[in-house]
Amino acid sequence: MKLTEPKARKLAELFSALSDASRIRIIAQLMGGEMSVRALADGLGMTESAVSHQLRGLRQMHLVRARKAGRQVFYSIDDDHVSRLFTLGLDHVQHG
Amino acid sequence: MKLTEPKARKLAELFSALSDASRIRIIAQLMGGEMSVRALADGLGMTESAVSHQLRGLRQMHLVRARKAGRQVFYSIDDDHVSRLFTLGLDHVQHG
DNA sequence: TGAATATATGAACAGGTATTCATATATTAC
DNA sequence: GTAATATATGAATACCTGTTCATATATTCA
């Protein structure tokens, strides 16, 4: 298969966004529905700062999206591709 | 969704294996069928050493597998999950 | 207005990673 | 056996990344 360098980089960036255990756990939580930053941080035992930094990257890659409600920001899985990538990957590590 | 720490790490490792442009290009080449290390290196403009180092990681993650034939080693995509992850990711970056 | 809460962000440091270079192993041909 | 070829690997280096800490912004409440 032929793949231009810029596309290879883009694709690598996408997978990079999923290449950290903290981010994976964030996504896993969001699979159950939208959550605030604090709720994510509490559920994961991370600081809000760390979570917020990670969410930024996930947002930029369009893996999650934010909905602002008052002073809270609720995050959710951005689109279906993301959940499919997640579950497909999980499949591979489970019976791989 | 609930996800144990070890599983989150495993999943992150899987995506890490795909989180580099060189490795993505290696996989892209292998989508067309098995290739020797030298053929990969030539096709990608990388040194055989660099390719070999990367193939090692991909092998350990069961993303590619090796077939030895004489003094050459032919690499190919390990299983269907891998090609599906690849094309699903490509989908996301293309109409994302 | 001021205090409190929720999130975001910049800088800095620690740990990880991709490549290069040199060298090792393995296989074939002579 | 030696020479040549294909691949693998260890060490070193340069770059990248995740977290923490301090601070900033934004929103609600009194």
Side-chain angles (χ1 to χ4, degrees):
Chain A
M1 188 191 196
K2 215 172 170 179
L3 194 62
T4 64
E5 268 249 15
K7 264 184 192 167
R9 261 199 296 273
K10 272 280 171 201
L11 193 43
E13 279 174 32
L14 169 65
F15 288 121
S16 290
L18 297 168
S19 72
D20 173 79
S22 298
R23 287 192 293 272
I24 289 290
R25 288 167 70 222
I26 288 174
I27 304 241
Q29 294 245 7
L30 294 181
M31 295 287 272
E34 67 173 17
M35 293 179 74
S36 72
V37 177
R38 166 161 288 283
L40 281 167
D42 285 352
L44 299 172
M46 296 173 65
T47 67
E48 288 168 61
S49 179
V51 172
S52 186
H53 275 295
Q54 298 294 16
L55 285 170
R56 187 195 205 182
L58 292 172
R59 226 186 312 139
Q60 285 172 343
M61 278 300 151
H62 301 104
L63 299 186
V64 304
R65 67 188 215 279
R67 178 179 70 86
K68 197 167 184 177
R71 55 186 143 186
Q72 297 187 80
V73 178
F74 291 94
Y75 281 85
S76 53
I77 305 287
D78 188 313
D79 76 1
D80 197 48
H81 277 117
V82 183
S83 12
R84 283 202 282 160
L85 275 172
F86 186 90
T87 54
L88 192 51
L90 203 52
D91 259 37
H92 187 264
V93 299
Q94 275 168 351
H95 6 357
Chain B
M1 189 192 193
K2 213 167 173 186
L3 194 63
T4 64
E5 267 250 14
K7 266 187 190 164
R9 262 199 294 272
K10 273 279 170 203
L11 193 43
E13 279 173 32
L14 169 64
F15 288 120
S16 290
L18 298 168
S19 72
D20 174 78
S22 299
R23 286 192 294 271
I24 287 291
R25 287 166 71 222
I26 288 174
I27 304 241
Q29 294 245 8
L30 294 180
M31 295 288 272
E34 67 174 16
M35 294 179 72
S36 72
V37 177
R38 166 162 288 284
L40 281 167
D42 285 352
L44 299 172
M46 295 173 65
T47 67
E48 289 168 60
S49 179
V51 171
S52 186
H53 274 294
Q54 298 294 18
L55 286 170
R56 187 195 204 182
L58 291 171
R59 225 185 314 138
Q60 284 173 344
M61 278 299 151
H62 301 103
L63 299 187
V64 304
R65 68 187 212 280
R67 178 179 71 86
K68 197 165 185 179
R71 54 187 143 187
Q72 298 187 79
V73 179
F74 292 94
Y75 281 86
S76 54
I77 305 286
D78 189 314
D79 76 2
D80 197 49
H81 277 116
V82 183
S83 13
R84 285 202 281 160
L85 275 172
F86 185 90
T87 54
L88 192 51
L90 203 52
D91 260 37
H92 187 262
V93 299
Q94 274 167 349
H95 6 357

